[in-house]
Amino acid sequence: MVQKAKILLVDDRPENLLALEAILSALDQTLVRASSGEEALKALLTDDFAVILLDVQMPGMDGFETAAHIKRRERTRDIPIIFLTAINHGPHHTFRGYAAGAVDYISKPFDPWVLRAKVSVFVELYMKNCQLREQAALLRLQLENGQPGRTGAAASQEPAGLLAELSARLAAVEEQAEALTKQLDESADAAAVATAAHLERKLTGLRRALDALEPGAGSGASPLPASG
């Protein structure tokens, strides 16, 4: 079974958290509550999240300060943050949200369909990145372990079969990523498009590494792409 993505919901008002859960429940992912910035940072210490929905106005550590802490941590700096706010102080306030590292800034009351669609995009990108990391880890493990003790035809056939299997799996991820990119191009969501482009660059790096391992491609394989 495919593991569900986790979505972090941060708001100091329980009724707002309940509303977000009602809106996002249709995505069938794991929704994690946090009632303060401090609680959100604790959750981020142990779990990986596809996207964070972060309320701006909270007592104590507000959304901007929470986002600053998230972006300073290497483990969490790349997690997309969508700011939710009930106040609108004009372009300067919105700019502050983007400057704090948000990929989107949505004013309340918001359209539930729009919010769900935006979150869905980042969940899908997260899942594709997870698949990519799994393929890279599998390839790296096989290359590091090798097949000691095997010689002759069996030794040459096993790597060829492994490469073929990895290539087929990667092709499936590439196809899904291409379809997602086309969908994002139509929606013109700049933040999501940039994230998708980052995913495609990772896929290209992994494809080059696989191609370099094909028979006749030369003795030196290209370095594997980073898994992060």
Side-chain angles (χ1 to χ4, degrees), residues 95-107:
F95 175 77
R96 186 183 175 191
Y98 288 119
V103 298
D104 213 336
Y105 193 96
I106 303 177
S107 297

Side-chain angles (χ1 to χ4, degrees), residues 10-169:
V10 189
D11 199 302
D12 63 298
R13 304 185 60 152
E15 62 271 25
N16 290 343
L17 291 172
L18 188 62
L20 288 174
E21 288 176 337
I23 292 170
L24 301 176
S25 61
L27 298 180
D28 193 28
Q29 304 300 326
T30 302
L31 306 177
V32 178
R33 284 188 175 201
S35 58
S36 66
E38 292 85 354
E39 191 175 333
L41 294 177
K42 288 181 181 178
L44 288 163
L45 287 174
T46 54
D47 290 324
D48 294 324
F49 292 90
V51 61
I52 302 169
L53 274 63
L54 180 58
D55 183 41
V56 171
Q57 286 187 295
M58 294 186 295
M61 185 184 296
D62 67 11
F64 295 129
E65 187 179 353
T66 302
H69 282 287
I70 292 172
K71 292 303 176 182
R72 279 198 292 265
R73 293 178 178 176
E74 184 176 357
R75 173 188 172 92
T76 59
R77 65 179 54 164
D78 294 326
I79 302 177
I81 298 174
I82 298 176
F83 271 136
L84 304 176
T85 178
I87 57 177
N88 186 1
H89 294 317
H92 175 74
H93 197 73
T94 303
F95 175 77
R96 186 183 175 191
Y98 288 119
V103 298
D104 213 336
Y105 193 96
I106 303 177
S107 297
K108 302 174 185 177
F110 45 78
D111 187 330
W113 294 92
V114 171
L115 179 63
R116 185 160 53 239
K118 288 179 179 290
V119 172
S120 176
V121 166
F122 288 109
V123 167
E124 192 166 355
L125 287 170
Y126 173 82
M127 300 298 282
K128 296 295 181 290
N129 268 303
C130 288
Q131 291 179 24
L132 178 59
R133 285 196 295 269
E134 289 173 2
Q135 301 307 325
L138 177 60
L139 175 59
R140 185 178 293 107
L141 180 63
Q142 294 294 338
L143 291 176
E144 290 175 352
N145 291 343
Q147 296 293 339
R150 295 182 180 272
T151 58
S156 62
Q157 288 173 4
E158 287 192 6
L162 172 64
L163 287 175
E165 180 182 353
L166 287 173
S167 182
R169 292 185 181 184

